[in-house]
Amino acid sequence: MHNIFKKTAIAGAMCLAAGAALAQGYPEKPIEVIVGYSAGGGTDVMARTAAPFIEKYLGEGASVVVKNVPGASGQIGVTEAANAAPDGYTLGTFNLPGMMARTIDRKADYDRDSFTYLANVVNDPNVIVTSKKSGLDTLDKLLEEAKANPGAITVGMSSLGGDDHFALIKLQNATGTEFTIVPFKGSAPARTALLGGHVAMGILNISEVAEFQDQLNVLGVATKERSQFAPDLPTFQEQGLDLVNGSMRGFIAPAGLPDDVRQKLMNAFSQLSGDQEFLDAMAATANPVEVVIGDDFKQLTSDLYDLAKGVWETTPWN
Amino acid sequence: MYNDLLHALPNVFALTNFIAVVIGVIAGIVVGAMPGLSATMAISVLVPFTFGLEPLVALGLMAGIYNGAMYGGAIPAVLLRIPGTPAAVATTFDGYPMAQRGEGGFALQVAVVSSSIGGIASAFALMLLAPPLSRVTLLFGPSEVFWVAVFGLASIIFLLGGNPVKGLISACFGVFVSVIGSDPIFGNDRFTFGRLEMLDGINIVILLVGLYALPPVIDLLETPLKTDGVNSSKLGTESIWKALPRMKSYWKTWLRGSLIGIWIGILPGAGGSMAAFMSYNEARRTSKTPETWGEGEPEGVAAAEVANNADTASALIPALTLGIPGTAVAAVMLGGLLVHGLQPGPMLFRDNPDIVFGFMWQFLFGAILLVLLGGSLATNSFARLLNLPRPLLGAVIIVLMLIGVYTIHGRMFDVYLMLGFGAIGWVMDRLKFPLPPVVLGLILGGFAEENLRLALRIGRGDPMILFQNTTSLILVALTIAVIVGPTLKRRYFDSRMKM
């Protein structure tokens, strides 16, 4: 009897030691980050730009390897990340509101509880732009025209059920206006149609119009404060319109990540926002940084899920 | 601007940057020559590695690969009737009959010289005319682009000759394949049977490899003892200096093909295969001896190859200035540029002139290097493949096909899809259904649908939006001319004969 207790005690102690060793030694092998898009896309570039900095802050010779699993607007990759072993060696990139909207508009093998939320890193706010040909060069003129002729203004955007779409819904609800949505396949074709005057207005992201400020009218930015990325552009709140919306990219791990591993990763991510070298590298690749850590990131995801769900219930997009 | 162009030149000749272009061209030819491996894939595999490279080394590799692959695709197209890349489909029409006649060597020489000329013309267009040409792109909104796609489909069905009914059926099959996946506006699933792998639609390379590579390979395996043509294992190569004078009458075709290629390149979406088909059609239409086309007319190889290289650099014009890539390869290259902090847009040329203009020079040198590297590489190494026993050659190609298709997304599902298309291709081949309309149907069908629906949304449901401006109307007129032209011409000649 005594013997059994002793054995149990030893076994227990060994388990504890192993657990401690797990976090102590973490990471003791390469950490894989699953990116749901092809190499060279915005999310991929974010992951690859951030990887060396995460390595630096994890210390202990950590190595981060990016793996591209493209397909189905990132759904294949994020599903793989959700189903991976929660040991801290498989992370994934996460896009908002897209990843949550996909759980609403089609069958998804994950939901908002499938993840351990580590950090949101990029927040690319929406902007409203108009074509030079449209003559609608201020927010007031635009809204006046939209009220006078409901549905007459065509709005180019990158897709339905994405951040651009939600921004437009918010705009319509806030101002009691109605627009005609023209969903292109991606924001570059939408921007080109705007440059050519084929659509009158566009909802894009600030990183996508920063280089085109002379060719388009940028009417405002959907942030609370002016974006560091283009500080000369006014926000909507400055113009009396409460419109805050954007596209976000961050990092998640599968649900059930051990607390100490999670803590270690969150520590590393939280140091990114103070690293000037990192901020410069992100600015050069059109990624406006806004780091949101752990539970705040989880709350952000929840809020966006509720928003998408609400929009879906009143105006489903497919 | 032209000053910046000259300033960028010395850096291009830095040893590492130059070697990058050379390696790129060779790698591109090899990749292009392997059925199933394409430039798009090679460059997307390369992009992650370029994070650690100097910008001009990375971009030089990409420019070289792009140029090399567009020619490399011609090698198996000529020797085996298997286009190595989607853009080389039109090269099989006359290249393969030439090889069967024992003139494979000359066909490859025509291909490499034409490719190089097309590439040089395209590089000059990119270097000197990028800003004005990008304004042309802006003229093409959804309704204009829809008509470009319809025009492309009509040309391939009615101009390629043969039986238009069979051509139409083939094109419909291609258009049907383009419908698979989530729809371009609402994202509803179509014919995906709940598989996530199908949501993005069918990748063109999967279809191409299945349709085009599997049937010839089955032929190779089926007939181990006989070769498909008495002369096809002999190349009949002579020195390039003797071959060049035979090509001097192609200058008109080269000029026309270059212009068509550049033009197709600056329009978003269509890419090298449409350029090659249109150039081939036009060259045959104006030829004095159209009846020899399809039977091994070297000028046909020239027409196809000049055009599919002429859209390489020009596809980067909308990519660099507007962020919309003209071809799938240019789309991947944009990613490679972004990695190095080069964001497309009007500021690009002002902010990073050394790199952007250096990249353009690299395109030019890549095209020139093609003649030097491509000619000997193809005739000395790849052509040796033909001396392999046929079943062995077939087995090698099958392995390459499987690897190529698997690496697109890294999944077996695509391999099964490819084998399925292979079975369909084999049946179509036996029943003498033309395969090119399937390829263009897939490329242009999705494109036509998406832009038609966007145009109708812009017009708020009114179809008149499709006929509202001059560009659209010109394209409508061209489409009608393509459809009724051959019939009218025949009637006209018939009535003259009676008189």
Side-chain angles (χ1 to χ4, degrees):
Chain A
M1 198 63 196
H2 179 75
N3 214 359
I4 290 174
F5 272 121
K6 204 170 168 186
K7 273 184 184 160
T8 320
I10 292 171
M14 278 168 71
C15 284
L16 279 178
L22 180 72
Q24 203 85 62
Y26 177 83
E28 54 189 7
K29 59 178 185 182
I31 300 169
E32 192 172 79
V33 175
I34 297 176
V35 174
Y37 302 90
S38 318
T43 307
D44 175 73
V45 172
M46 172 200 74
R48 289 178 193 276
T49 309
F53 295 93
I54 302 168
E55 287 172 353
K56 180 166 105 186
Y57 292 120
L58 277 175
E60 310 194 34
S63 117
V64 173
V65 184
V66 171
K67 176 182 167 195
N68 300 92
V69 184
S73 331
Q75 227 189 328
I76 296 179
V78 85
T79 307
E80 189 175 321
N83 295 331
D87 55 5
Y89 292 105
T90 309
L91 313 181
T93 55
F94 196 69
N95 302 63
L96 286 171
M99 296 304 184
M100 282 298 109
R102 295 298 83 74
T103 65
I104 297 167
D105 65 13
R106 64 165 54 108
K107 191 174 108 351
D109 294 330
Y110 66 91
D111 58 29
R112 55 183 155 163
D113 297 323
S114 307
F115 306 104
T116 302
Y117 292 88
L118 298 172
N120 184 64
V121 174
V122 171
N123 182 357
D124 198 353
N126 289 111
V127 288
I128 293 182
V129 293
T130 55
S131 151
K132 289 272 184 200
K133 282 187 193 168
S134 69
L136 305 167
D137 55 357
T138 67
L139 187 60
D140 289 338
K141 280 191 202 167
L142 177 77
L143 294 177
E144 211 170 287
E145 169 69 14
K147 278 174 192 153
N149 300 304
I153 299 180
T154 48
V155 186
M157 55 176 64
S158 62
S159 64
L160 293 177
D163 56 296
D164 306 348
H165 186 201
F166 295 139
L168 184 76
I169 303 261
K170 282 182 180 174
L171 174 73
Q172 288 182 339
N173 291 345
T175 58
T177 46
E178 197 191 317
F179 296 86
T180 295
I181 300 174
V182 186
F184 286 81
K185 251 188 182 168
S187 40
R191 183 177 59 204
T192 306
L194 270 162
L195 292 170
H198 303 286
V199 289
M201 167 184 155
I203 295 197
L204 298 167
N205 298 89
I206 199 165
S207 70
E208 293 154 1
V209 300
E211 304 275 313
F212 290 85
Q213 289 181 43
D214 299 338
Q215 284 78 26
L216 294 165
N217 305 314
V218 185
L219 303 187
V221 185
T223 41
K224 290 198 184 84
E225 281 150 28
R226 287 201 175 196
S227 165
Q228 299 271 312
F229 196 76
D232 43 332
L233 295 175
T235 66
F236 289 118
Q237 292 194 334
E238 285 173 41
Q239 305 176 64
L241 173 65
D242 185 24
L243 179 63
V244 175
N245 203 60
S247 156
M248 281 160 238
R249 307 177 192 131
F251 294 85
I252 46 83
L257 200 65
D259 261 344
D260 36 10
V261 174
R262 172 169 168 262
Q263 209 56 52
K264 204 157 185 179
L265 281 166
M266 278 174 17
N267 270 338
F269 278 110
S270 60
Q271 291 177 66
L272 291 179
S273 55
D275 189 320
Q276 195 55 45
E277 202 189 332
F278 172 73
L279 296 177
D280 292 345
M282 293 295 273
T285 52
N287 278 305
V289 175
E290 186 183 312
V291 180
V292 179
I293 298 289
D295 288 338
D296 294 337
F297 181 25
K298 188 175 183 181
Q299 187 58 44
L300 182 74
T301 306
S302 240
D303 292 348
L304 283 166
Y305 176 83
D306 293 338
L307 168 75
K309 188 87 182 161
V311 171
W312 175 259
E313 272 156 12
T314 51
T315 44
W317 52 84
N318 72 6
Chain B
M1 172 186 161
Y2 299 115
N3 222 352
D4 288 333
L5 203 54
L6 290 179
H7 270 293
L9 191 56
N11 213 357
V12 175
F13 283 112
L15 188 64
T16 45
N17 296 346
F18 194 73
I19 289 177
V21 181
V22 174
I23 293 175
V25 170
I26 295 175
I29 294 172
V30 173
V31 165
M34 311 241 177
L37 306 189
S38 65
T40 318
M41 214 183 73
I43 295 174
S44 37
V45 169
L46 183 71
V47 165
F49 295 105
T50 64
F51 270 80
L53 297 177
E54 285 289 308
L56 277 183
V57 175
L59 299 177
L61 278 169
M62 292 189 211
I65 289 178
Y66 197 0
N67 263 306
M70 283 296 133
Y71 157 66
I75 299 170
V78 167
L79 300 178
L80 298 164
R81 199 168 60 101
I82 303 174
T85 58
V89 168
T91 310
T92 59
F93 299 164
D94 287 290
Y96 184 65
M98 280 178 76
Q100 281 182 310
R101 261 202 330 247
E103 289 186 311
F106 183 55
L108 288 175
Q109 283 168 335
V110 171
V112 78
V113 172
S114 306
S115 292
S116 186
I117 289 173
I120 292 170
S122 196
F124 274 118
L126 173 64
M127 289 162 98
L128 304 176
L129 299 171
L133 284 180
S134 72
R135 255 174 258 139
V136 176
T137 309
L138 290 185
L139 285 178
F140 284 74
S143 51
E144 291 83 359
V145 173
F146 165 70
W147 286 114
V148 170
V150 171
F151 172 66
L153 279 172
S155 333
I156 184 80
I157 295 165
F158 292 96
L159 288 184
L160 268 190
N163 181 340
V165 175
K166 281 188 170 172
L168 196 59
I169 294 173
S170 291
C172 285
F173 175 59
V175 172
F176 167 71
V177 175
S178 81
V179 164
I180 297 173
S182 58
D183 92 70
I185 304 288
F186 295 110
N188 292 319
D189 301 359
R190 299 188 298 203
F191 302 102
T192 59
F193 304 100
R195 305 282 314 213
L196 279 181
E197 293 93 335
M198 305 272 278
L199 265 186
D200 289 338
I202 305 290
N203 186 301
I204 179 73
V205 174
I206 298 174
L207 178 93
L208 182 84
V209 171
L211 281 189
Y212 268 96
L214 209 55
V217 166
I218 292 173
D219 283 347
L220 288 177
L221 298 178
E222 241 179 7
T223 51
L225 293 177
K226 70 170 203 249
T227 55
D228 45 359
V230 239
N231 291 319
S232 67
S233 59
K234 281 193 242 109
L235 277 174
T237 316
E238 47 184 16
S239 129
I240 186 109
W241 302 114
K242 279 193 193 146
L244 270 177
R246 288 174 67 188
M247 299 180 207
K248 65 173 186 273
S249 61
Y250 305 157
W251 67 272
K252 265 191 203 159
T253 297
W254 281 334
L255 184 65
R256 197 187 303 110
S258 297
L259 291 177
I260 292 177
I262 292 169
W263 162 246
I264 297 288
I266 62 170
L267 297 182
S273 37
M274 182 163 161
F277 280 123
M278 287 189 50
S279 166
Y280 183 87
N281 274 337
E282 275 307 296
R284 187 179 59 172
R285 200 174 58 78
T286 50
S287 164
K288 290 196 186 77
T289 52
E291 64 282 356
T292 61
W293 290 60
E295 312 282 321
E297 168 62 52
E299 205 169 345
V301 176
E305 282 299 309
V306 72
N308 71 23
N309 274 67
D311 89 333
T312 52
S314 76
L316 283 162
I317 294 174
L320 295 176
T321 54
L322 302 166
I324 44 165
T327 60
V329 191
V332 191
M333 291 182 108
L334 260 192
L337 287 162
L338 187 62
V339 163
H340 290 281
L342 302 172
Q343 295 170 36
M347 319 285 250
L348 179 65
F349 294 73
R350 208 159 54 206
D351 294 349
N352 298 291
D354 279 0
I355 296 174
V356 177
F357 290 109
F359 182 43
M360 296 179 181
W361 282 111
Q362 289 179 320
F363 256 93
L364 182 66
F365 294 127
I368 295 170
L369 281 170
L370 202 52
V371 178
L372 307 174
L373 299 170
S376 56
L377 190 68
T379 41
N380 294 335
S381 5
F382 277 95
R384 296 269 160 88
L385 281 176
L386 290 182
N387 296 329
L388 285 176
R390 300 261 131 178
L392 188 59
L393 183 59
V396 169
I397 296 173
I398 284 200
V399 171
L400 286 174
M401 284 161 54
L402 296 179
I403 294 173
V405 169
Y406 179 79
T407 40
I408 298 173
H409 300 114
R411 56 197 187 204
M412 277 311 283
F413 184 81
D414 293 343
V415 173
Y416 304 136
L417 262 184
M418 183 274 283
L419 294 174
F421 281 121
I424 294 170
W426 186 77
V427 172
M428 290 180 72
D429 203 40
R430 289 291 144 110
L431 297 177
K432 300 262 178 289
F433 277 95
L435 295 176
V438 186
V439 176
L440 270 212
L442 173 59
I443 295 175
L444 297 178
F447 203 47
E449 185 208 347
E450 183 190 333
N451 284 288
L452 174 65
R453 293 177 64 184
L454 287 174
L456 289 176
R457 282 182 82 93
I458 291 174
R460 301 171 74 195
D462 181 1
M464 286 316 288
I465 184 95
L466 297 172
F467 305 95
Q468 253 167 10
N469 63 51
T470 335
T471 324
S472 297
L473 291 175
I474 293 172
L475 287 162
V476 174
L478 283 173
T479 308
I480 295 172
V482 161
I483 295 173
V484 300
T487 327
L488 286 183
K489 204 168 161 189
R490 215 176 307 129
R491 289 241 174 104
Y492 175 70
F493 278 118
D494 285 353
S495 61
R496 290 248 311 230
M497 296 277 265
K498 274 178 204 149
M499 286 196 315

